[in-house]
Amino acid sequence: MRRQFVTRTGEPDRDPGNDSGDNDHHSDHGHGRRTNDQEGRDCRDNCRPPGCQPEQPVPRGLQGPHPERRTEEPAHQAIRAWSLPSPHDLRASTPGMNEAVKIHMDHMHDRLTCLVDDSLGVRFKFPDGVKPRQADGKHIQSYAGGYKFSQLEDWVMDVCYHLAACCYGGNDMDQEHIFVLHEFMDGEVQNWFRRHVLHTNRDKSYWTFKEVLIGLYNRFVNAATMQEACEAFRTAVYDAQTGVQTFYDDLVGHAQNMAVYPDEFTIRETFLDGIPAEMHRALIRDDNLSPEVNTVTKFLAYAIRYEQSARTATHYDQHSSRRATGHRQPVK
């Protein structure tokens, strides 16, 4: 039975292997019958538009770890790139815990990206005739890693606002942001940056500034920090040297690093348990505040006023020549 092929123009075409009209003619000369693979290749070649070259195998020299290249390498070949697995690919024996860690990581990622958008989203322009002062980055401490998110966040904040002061804002300066990061890294962080972001054998061929920061978080910040944030939130105490405002800010900072942000009642209860007992009694007895009615910000405002009054009284007690002894000495 003779095969008939149809070209892209819709016209029938004869089988290129049967131009002689007789398959037995080939078998008589010892060529044998054509296989299905040979006929399929001939069909693809004939149906290809004019000027289109047939597919060529990719040379082994072009095969590499980059995603835009073909990576059909044998299993026994060694991986030459610095691999960078995603933390979301891990499977935990407790799916609930794994999901909580993922939600916490996504929240921390959003905080870093929002920080970049707020500081570097728009390029700062000075008014005409005003010469910008040369920004000095010597005050920025190099980041050498650490499992606490607050260390990474503070470092990112310093670097981002330093870049903004140097007029490096704007989305078109993304690669410049990455190159400047190298100046503020040290230790293992610098090694990670060279291998995975700058090296020619890196696994990820293109990085954005936000992706570099997220990569630093995934590499150095431990997911266990959300449990440490819960413990730090519960054990925070008031310090008279720093004041009640710092105590409240520390509570909010620990709450922001938790997997689930605590409700208003929990924050208010922790705040009242952490302040001194005499301050607590004065807020309820003298200022008529109630934990069931008033907000934590209301308690904070009255606590600041109480603290300022107590410091004023202490100041005059220390510098007055007439100490409080129960009665005043008459002036002669």
Side-chain angles (χ1 to χ4, degrees), residues 164-197:
C166 295
C167 299
Y168 270 50
N171 297 328
D172 58 332
M173 304 288 290
D174 193 77
Q175 293 301 308
E176 286 78 0
H177 299 162
I178 296 177
F179 296 148
V180 173
L181 274 181
H182 189 265
E183 302 177 5
F184 305 104
M185 293 179 176
D186 195 10
E188 187 60 28
V189 175
Q190 198 172 61
N191 293 333
W192 178 91
F193 185 79
R194 291 172 179 171
R195 294 170 180 174
H196 297 283
V197 181

Side-chain angles (χ1 to χ4, degrees), residues 122-184:
V122 179
R123 184 176 305 167
F124 182 75
K125 294 183 179 180
F126 290 91
D128 295 338
V130 177
K131 185 178 181 180
R133 182 178 62 87
Q134 185 67 26
D136 187 7
K138 295 181 179 180
H139 68 282
I140 301 178
Q141 187 176 2
S142 298
Y143 181 62
Y147 66 92
K148 291 186 177 181
F149 174 76
S150 58
Q151 297 175 349
L152 175 62
E153 187 179 35
D154 293 342
W155 175 76
V156 172
M157 186 180 303
D158 293 339
V159 172
C160 286
Y161 281 99
H162 170 71
L163 293 174
C166 295
C167 299
Y168 270 50
N171 297 328
D172 58 332
M173 304 288 290
D174 193 77
Q175 293 301 308
E176 286 78 0
H177 299 162
I178 296 177
F179 296 148
V180 173
L181 274 181
H182 189 265
E183 302 177 5
F184 305 104

Side-chain angles (χ1 to χ4, degrees), residues 256-275:
Q256 291 177 350
N257 294 332
M258 295 168 60
V260 179
Y261 194 84
D263 54 17
E264 172 73 16
F265 179 81
T266 303
I267 297 177
R268 182 171 59 247
E269 184 180 38
T270 307
F271 175 79
L272 294 177
D273 291 341
I275 60 178

Side-chain angles (χ1 to χ4, degrees), residues 17 21 60 95 97 99 119 125 145 204 215 217 222 250 263 270 274:
R60 294 186 61 84
M97 185 62 185
E99 185 66 19
S119 57
K125 294 183 179 180
K204 183 178 176 62
Y217 174 87
N222 197 327
D250 291 340
D263 54 17
T270 307

Side-chain angles (χ1 to χ4, degrees), residues 17 22-35 38:
D22 190 2
N23 289 333
D24 297 338
H25 173 72
H26 297 282
S27 60
D28 294 342
H29 290 78
H31 296 289
R33 186 174 298 276
R34 296 169 59 85
T35 63
Q38 292 173 338

